[in-house]
Amino acid sequence: MTPQGRGRGGAAMALEGLRILDFTRLGFGAQATLICGCLGAEVIRVESTRFPDAIRVMPPFVPEPGERGEAFGAATLANATGAPSANRGGIFYKYNTGGKRSITVDARHPKGLALLKDLVAESDVVAESFAAGTLARWGLPLEVMRELRPDLVYVSMCGFGHEGPDTSHVTMGPTAQALTGLTFMVGLPDRPPAGWSFSYLDHVGGYLGAIAILAGVIHRRRTGEGQHIDVSQLEPATALSGALLLDAMLNGRPSRRPGFPSGNRRAHPPAAPSGAYRCTGDDRWVVVSCRTDEQWSALVGAMGAPAWAADPRFATLVGRVEHADDLDAHVESWTRGRDRYEVMDLLQSVGVPAGAVQDAADRLERDPQLAARGHYTDLGNDEVDALPLEGVPFRMTATPPHTGGALRRGPPCLGEDTEAVLGEVLGMSTDQVAALRVEGVLS
């Protein structure tokens, strides 16, 4: 068992005893090791003071007490070059919970490389998200890591994977989404593709990266055999676009076309009314989706059986889909004067699928379901007061995960665990660590 072992609350954790040496950066790889940390693994982030992870210094920043933080997507260019600290990047907080520990090592220094090799030998898993070949150029190719730890599980995570003609290409989440076609599919009819402003594949790919780590660990526990697991950020997107690809192949329909259904309107399987409808307030919406005659009847009853609902065009699902534009206008004439939560609660009470469209503040401050599930955990670090942070979206009765991992703390300050890790894992004394620091090895 690693020094972290069980959670500080004393509860067993699913991955206690597992040590991950974490070279991941940005969101994609860090999401994978975050999940493992929330499950109790000891995750040691290897960082650099001279070249810190970009998301440490990327706005929006966690505000100081009394400050108002920048909304995500509204961060200013001026602030992008004026990071107040390496420990207040808001996106860094997003991807580095799980009780991760941070050490700083100069991999280009011979003694730094020697430290990394010693840490590889003491780790169960090495995870990284560099461009293919980066660790090899440092002096840590797979062959060397296997000599150091024959049963090592090595998980590499990069845009195209480590095989194929494009493996040397550099990608970010938005470019990966563009290459896989997802960006092309998102947008209004007759308008240019809009895509997402956020790196959706960081989340999807990160979850699959965590599965890859767990699969490698399970295989090793069963056989004693380590392996290299090569995770591509692009490939998970093929599953996300699978239904549209099939539609194009069998029915010859392109994924975007004039008259592409708006809002949440659903054609396969058919549903009507189905979409996002305006409610009272500025930019407030509720989503309603009726797939069956029973749901339609319940919706009509909830609306007080308005005369337009008796229109013969709306008597069947086929008719409602065919005349969806008129139907949507009628439904919105009813929702427009009502609160989105009021509509949601009323329709849910009679069995009609409905959900208020929530923004980040709604989810954090108002959502009673998330609050009841304990979705957010207040955690901070030495520089930032406790903040509500997300963990993993599931519960376990025997080995409960924790957003703060076994350490029960927020994302680490840059290098704050260097001395502790080198002492606990490599048995180095305080004086030895101090000498390395003087030599510039721990920068």
Side-chain angles (χ1 to χ4, degrees):
M1 179 181 295
T2 68
Q4 280 190 250
R6 297 195 166 207
R8 285 189 171 171
M13 302 188 77
L15 297 185
E16 65 183 44
L18 183 74
R19 176 176 291 140
I20 300 174
L21 193 61
D22 182 13
F23 293 92
T24 63
R25 294 293 183 272
L26 299 170
F28 172 41
Q31 174 79 46
T33 52
L34 175 160
I35 294 168
C36 295
C38 290
L39 293 173
E42 180 189 14
V43 180
I44 302 172
R45 277 179 57 88
V46 180
E47 304 193 79
S48 166
T49 58
R50 286 186 285 184
F51 304 100
D53 187 356
I55 61 172
R56 277 190 174 275
V57 292
M58 184 186 300
F61 301 114
V62 177
E64 298 281 10
E67 288 183 343
R68 182 174 179 79
E70 296 173 291
F72 184 81
T76 61
L77 182 61
N79 280 347
T81 57
S85 163
N87 304 312
R88 285 179 49 204
I91 309 173
F92 170 75
Y93 259 69
K94 163 70 180 172
Y95 285 117
N96 284 277
T97 52
K100 293 183 181 181
R101 312 176 90 184
S102 172
I103 66 171
T104 52
V105 178
D106 182 357
R108 295 174 300 181
H109 194 294
K111 291 186 178 179
L113 179 60
L115 280 180
L116 295 180
K117 289 182 176 179
D118 289 343
L119 288 170
V120 169
E122 297 296 329
S123 298
D124 302 289
V125 177
V126 167
E128 55 100 347
S129 58
F130 295 119
T134 298
L135 278 190
R137 290 192 291 274
W138 285 9
L140 283 174
L142 176 59
E143 297 74 20
V144 169
M145 290 194 287
R146 278 179 170 161
E147 290 176 1
L148 297 166
R149 178 80 189 233
D151 63 349
L152 182 73
V153 176
Y154 167 46
V155 179
S156 60
M157 302 176 65
C158 68
F160 290 87
H162 281 210
E163 294 181 348
D166 295 332
T167 189
S168 63
H169 291 191
V170 176
T171 63
M172 297 287 283
T175 59
Q177 285 155 195
L179 288 164
T180 57
L182 292 177
T183 298
F184 183 74
M185 297 174 187
V186 178
L188 297 172
D190 304 319
R191 302 280 290 274
W196 290 286
S197 64
F198 196 67
S199 300
Y200 191 62
L201 289 182
D202 283 359
H203 295 273
V204 178
Y207 272 70
L208 293 176
I211 291 175
I213 292 172
L214 299 180
V217 170
I218 291 171
H219 175 78
R220 192 187 71 170
R221 288 183 176 175
R222 191 174 65 247
T223 67
E225 182 182 44
Q227 62 181 304
H228 174 204
I229 302 178
D230 181 14
V231 181
S232 159
Q233 188 177 24
L234 273 76
E235 291 176 38
T238 58
L240 297 176
S241 58
L244 291 172
L245 288 174
L246 188 64
D247 191 36
M249 292 173 62
L250 297 181
N251 302 317
R253 285 191 289 249
S255 57
R256 294 185 83 248
R257 57 192 182 278
F260 192 78
S262 62
N264 283 4
R265 192 175 293 178
R266 185 174 178 176
H268 307 287
S274 180
Y277 303 93
R278 291 182 186 278
C279 293
T280 57
D282 182 26
D283 200 23
R284 300 304 188 195
W285 302 75
V286 66
V287 168
V288 180
S289 182
C290 291
R291 289 183 54 197
T292 68
D293 288 337
E294 289 75 17
Q295 290 168 347
W296 165 245
S297 296
L299 173 63
V300 171
M303 292 188 296
W308 60 261
D311 188 325
R313 296 181 301 162
F314 304 145
T316 65
L317 178 59
V318 172
R320 292 192 290 275
V321 171
E322 182 179 356
H323 301 286
D325 288 342
D326 287 345
L327 181 60
D328 283 346
H330 284 301
V331 172
E332 190 163 278
S333 70
W334 177 71
T335 63
R336 186 181 281 272
R338 289 170 170 79
D339 175 78
R340 56 188 165 146
Y341 291 106
E342 172 194 331
V343 174
M344 177 183 75
D345 292 340
L346 173 62
L347 297 186
Q348 288 286 358
S349 72
V350 296
V352 177
V357 177
Q358 299 193 119
D359 58 21
D362 296 326
R363 294 194 301 274
L364 181 63
E365 300 170 0
R366 304 175 190 173
D367 194 312
Q369 179 64 20
L370 291 178
R373 295 272 294 173
H375 187 75
Y376 299 104
T377 303
D378 288 343
L379 294 168
N381 61 24
D382 290 343
E383 191 170 310
V384 177
D385 290 340
L387 294 169
L389 300 174
E390 293 177 305
V392 291
F394 51 81
R395 303 290 174 268
M396 302 171 74
T397 57
T399 55
H402 193 281
T403 305
L407 295 178
R408 302 293 197 264
R409 76 174 189 191
C413 294
L414 182 63
E416 77 168 275
D417 301 298
T418 301
E419 184 169 338
V421 168
L422 296 184
E424 294 168 10
V425 179
L426 302 183
M428 299 182 70
S429 68
T430 300
D431 289 343
Q432 288 174 310
V433 175
L436 290 174
R437 203 178 291 283
V438 170
E439 292 183 72
V441 176
L442 306 181
S443 59

